[in-house]
């Protein structure tokens, strides 16, 4: 690849779901795209995520703007998945059984009622359930259940399958992928197209998209006014081999208690997440983090006590200063940003991909992206 | 190696601490020894152990006979370690700071007092401590401490270093080691020396020692009356990176609560063990197993909440029908057994090695081994 050839097309920095999905959208519209990933694609936050598509049940953690973007992305999700599965030839375990919000003590019940009120105020399709109905819906829940609500709108996907499918679709659409290619610096010179250094190699392009997740805020060569204010928000997670107990194959819905969530996957894994920690890029598990996940899971679904523990891991959500994504064009011509997706990267990938691709190819931001502009900081 | 050559020497089946230590004793007395290990040496129970040398504080879990063997082994330990460290040229982290038995609630305090009474009845050097004195001795203990006792006699060693040192010493003494060599069957024919099949290869020797830990009871070709009644007793364990919190470098003593124990190592690890489960050879971690270890550790030493979790693992103690080791000559001439060490394999390795070597070379069992004879079942 020469700089001259690349200057006609788009360069994407970061191979998580966001970079891959934008790359796929661009490539299938005929745009020459090259994606640079420091390691292997989708091994950071995209790999760590549980894959809940939960604009309604995550509402307590969101600004209204994020809710709007989440709902837009939910609207796009079925078609996005259908096209992706067709393009990649693989299934991404998109599931629509919905989510239960539950509580097992008075404090949490008060909190659940409070959130439910807010959800209903926002006209979100969440309804209160009797304990009996909730136990009928998910018989694996603990008999200490004291309150429950159901949201049929919240769906889920397997983020690891999603990433693999996006990589396949991107490559099949003609995208160029360079893994193990770490961008060490941005090179932004007035009157010239944006460029990056990858080791000794200078790569420039007509358009450059910074989509490096939690690393988006720490790349060299970005002046402060262009640097997205993104930091890593650490999460610890674990998974059980749910299939080891036959009755648990009927555990179908996402279950959320205030402290944790549990997400059953079609391959027999039960994912439990997640801590939310300001620890920089510290990848280590901690005693307390894993303890809280195990405790919360056991109190919700007693049978997890006997389940084989499959995997434990950590990841870094890209958190922005105001917890909303940063999506749009920067003040430097040709330099775009799509990062800061925090807890909702898997959810908002379709909206990010569709609308960022429009912005980048057509030059005008769709209305929905305007509140997320990098200019706001 | 030909069968003819081997028939003059000793063949050992199993490369854990017991097999290696007996092999080292024999080899340094000039005996030709070959050791067969199904995988790599010391990767099963020897690798999983925490390395407490605790005849006194383990007394609640023992028969009197085991206590006697444990005390004999403690007597031998300092010299055994000194010779091993000299022979191998490496340190095995032998530590003599002693152990604290502690409780944090009324139930456990009653249990601690009961055990203390039994320990004192047996004239074991365990003394009651005031809470103040205990917190002075180990300031990392939780302020909820309600009772404590101290045993200066209980020592510890790093079992992984011990295994590596034994392997070195064994090889330097002229022992032959064949790793990845699985014994598939015993071949015991009247009037001929004992032999084993390792795949298609038949290996016989003047003496054969079965020291295959939890696997000792399930090898083919042993008639029922010769087969040691040994089963796997599963344990789950974990370790923290204690060095990550500087004040924890003063955590020096083994700490025992009824449900768990914590063993600080000189390399900065803090080992927490262990579940005791009848699960056959199921190597999987479980939610409940790890939960109980984390809970017990956190309640004892609150700072573990913030400690990085280094490793989680399982192991299989070789448990005999009466929980005592099986040490001695079988009814088949030339066939010896050293297995069934259960919770105390690291502790009783020196006694096993010294006395089994005497028995095997001199033909008469030392008095101390007589109660542990395979004949007793």
């Amino acid at each position: 690849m020469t700089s001259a050839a690349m200057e006609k097309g788009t360069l994407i920095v970061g191979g998580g779901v966001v970079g891959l999905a934008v790359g796929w959208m661009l490539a299938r519209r005929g745009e020459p795209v090259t994606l640079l990933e420091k390691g292997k694609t989708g091994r950071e936050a995209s790999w760590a995520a549980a894959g809940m598509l939960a604009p309604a049940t995550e509402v307590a953690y969101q600004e209204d703007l994020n809710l709007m973007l989440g709902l837009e992305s939910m609207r796009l999700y079925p078609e996005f998945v259908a096209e992706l599965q067709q393009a990649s030839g693989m299934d991404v375990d998109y599931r629509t059984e919905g989510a239960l919000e539950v509580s097992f003590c008075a404090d949490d019940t008060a909190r659940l009622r409070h959130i439910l009120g807010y959800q209903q105020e926002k006209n979100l399709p969440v309804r209160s359930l009797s304990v009996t109905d909730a136990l009928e819906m998910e018989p694996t829940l603990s008999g200490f259940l004291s309150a429950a609500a159901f949201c049929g709108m919240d769906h889920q996907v397997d983020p690891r399958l999603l990433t693999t499918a996006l990589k396949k679709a991107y490559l099949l659409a003609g995208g160029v992928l360079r893994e193990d290619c770490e961008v060490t610096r941005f090179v932004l010179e007035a009157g010239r197209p944006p460029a990056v250094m990858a080791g000794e190699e200078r790569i420039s392009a007509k358009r450059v998209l910074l989509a490096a997740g939690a690393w988006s805020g720490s790349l060299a060569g970005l002046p402060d006014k262009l640097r997205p204010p993104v930091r890593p928000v650490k999460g610890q997670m674990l998974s059980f081999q749910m299939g080891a107990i036959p009755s648990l194959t009927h555990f179908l819905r996402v279950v959320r208690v205030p402290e944790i969530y549990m997400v059953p996957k079609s391959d027999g894994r039960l994912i439990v997440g997640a801590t939310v920690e300001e620890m920089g890029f510290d990848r280590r598990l901690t005693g307390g983090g894993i303890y809280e996940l195990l405790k919360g899971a056991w109190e919700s679904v007693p049978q997890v006590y006997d389940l084989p523990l499959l995997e434990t891991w950590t990841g870094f959500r890209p958190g922005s200063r105001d917890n909303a994504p940063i999506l749009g064009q920067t003040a430097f011509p040709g330099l775009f940003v799509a990062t800061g997706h925090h807890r909702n990267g898997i959810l908002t990938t379709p909206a990010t991909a569709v609308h960022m691709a429009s912005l980048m190819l057509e030059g005008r931001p769709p209305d929905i992206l305007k509140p997320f502009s990098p200019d706001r900081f």
Side-chain angles (χ1 to χ4, degrees), chain A:
Chain A
M1 178 177 51
T2 68
S3 301
M6 197 59 234
E7 279 176 24
K8 291 182 194 302
T10 295
L11 183 70
I12 297 177
V13 178
V17 284
V18 169
L20 286 168
V22 176
W24 175 45
M25 291 292 154
L26 293 173
R28 69 182 198 165
R29 288 171 69 170
E31 171 77 359
V33 189
T34 294
L35 191 154
L36 310 181
E37 162 55 43
K38 66 177 170 50
K40 304 298 178 196
T41 52
R43 286 286 167 158
E44 297 289 355
S46 305
W47 187 261
M52 291 181 296
L53 310 175
T57 53
E58 280 275 319
V59 73
Y61 304 96
Q62 293 184 355
E63 312 293 322
D64 284 0
L65 281 175
N66 286 1
L67 174 60
M68 182 197 67
L69 188 70
L71 291 172
E72 161 70 359
S73 213
M74 281 305 285
R75 188 182 67 79
L76 298 172
Y77 234 104
E79 191 183 334
F80 180 83
V81 163
E83 289 178 2
L84 178 61
Q85 292 189 155
Q86 185 161 30
S88 66
M90 59 178 280
D91 189 276
V92 299
D93 199 23
Y94 180 60
R95 291 174 55 165
T96 59
E97 290 96 342
L100 282 167
E101 297 173 293
V102 297
S103 72
F104 299 95
C105 64
D107 274 7
D108 286 351
T109 297
R111 194 162 156 185
L112 189 149
R113 301 266 180 243
H114 177 76
I115 293 171
L116 184 62
Y118 186 69
Q119 288 161 335
Q120 290 174 339
E121 188 186 309
K122 296 283 169 191
N123 293 312
L124 295 168
V126 185
R127 62 185 164 91
S128 185
L129 273 189
S130 73
V131 165
T132 313
D133 288 350
L135 288 172
E136 197 161 302
M137 209 176 247
E138 288 296 347
T140 58
L141 289 173
S142 162
F144 289 105
L145 188 68
S146 52
F150 177 68
C151 178
M153 177 215 236
D154 278 10
H155 297 167
Q156 61 148 308
V157 73
D158 184 324
R160 298 182 185 178
L161 297 175
L162 184 73
T163 308
T164 307
L166 283 169
K167 176 180 170 177
K168 284 190 182 182
Y170 170 70
L171 292 172
L172 287 168
V176 174
L177 175 62
R178 296 177 62 187
E179 295 186 323
D180 298 316
C181 179
E182 184 169 1
V183 167
T184 47
R185 193 157 57 85
F186 275 79
V187 182
L188 303 177
E189 295 162 353
R192 300 188 63 183
V196 300
M197 298 299 297
E200 295 301 302
E201 187 183 3
R202 178 190 163 112
I203 309 169
S204 71
K206 185 171 173 196
R207 285 174 289 266
V208 172
L209 173 66
L210 173 55
W215 286 263
S216 302
S218 49
L219 287 163
L222 284 172
D224 282 349
K225 69 183 167 58
L226 296 180
R227 176 183 304 281
V230 167
R231 71 192 191 285
V233 182
K234 178 180 172 180
Q236 301 186 47
M237 303 183 67
L238 56 85
S239 66
F240 289 110
Q241 188 183 341
M242 188 170 59
I245 296 185
S247 64
L248 286 181
T249 56
H250 302 295
F251 184 177
L252 296 176
R253 289 163 193 85
V254 172
V255 169
R256 304 175 64 111
V257 273
E259 293 302 322
I260 61 143
Y261 52 76
M262 308 178 77
V263 186
K265 296 294 176 190
S266 302
D267 62 5
R269 285 179 305 143
L270 177 63
I271 295 180
V272 182
T275 63
V276 180
E277 302 169 70
E278 301 285 347
M279 293 288 287
F281 287 106
D282 183 342
R283 287 192 190 273
R284 298 174 298 186
L285 302 165
T286 63
I290 299 303
Y291 170 79
E292 298 293 355
L293 297 176
L294 292 171
K295 177 169 178 282
W298 181 32
E299 286 174 355
S300 308
V301 176
Q303 283 172 97
V304 305
Y305 197 86
D306 292 319
L307 281 184
L309 190 58
L310 265 186
E311 199 188 345
T312 48
W313 67 94
T314 56
F316 302 111
R317 307 172 189 90
S320 76
R321 201 181 296 152
D322 61 4
N323 288 332
I326 305 171
L327 307 170
Q329 181 152 17
T330 69
F332 189 91
L335 180 62
F336 296 81
V337 178
T339 185
H341 292 76
H342 203 226
R343 297 168 64 98
N344 295 293
I346 304 298
L347 166 62
T348 53
T349 285
T352 299
V354 167
H355 297 303
M356 282 299 297
S358 294
L359 166 64
M360 292 172 76
L361 294 184
E362 292 146 26
R364 284 192 323 165
D367 284 348
I368 191 158
L369 289 193
K370 286 180 183 163
F372 302 100
S373 163
D375 294 343
R376 74 183 186 275
F377 297 106

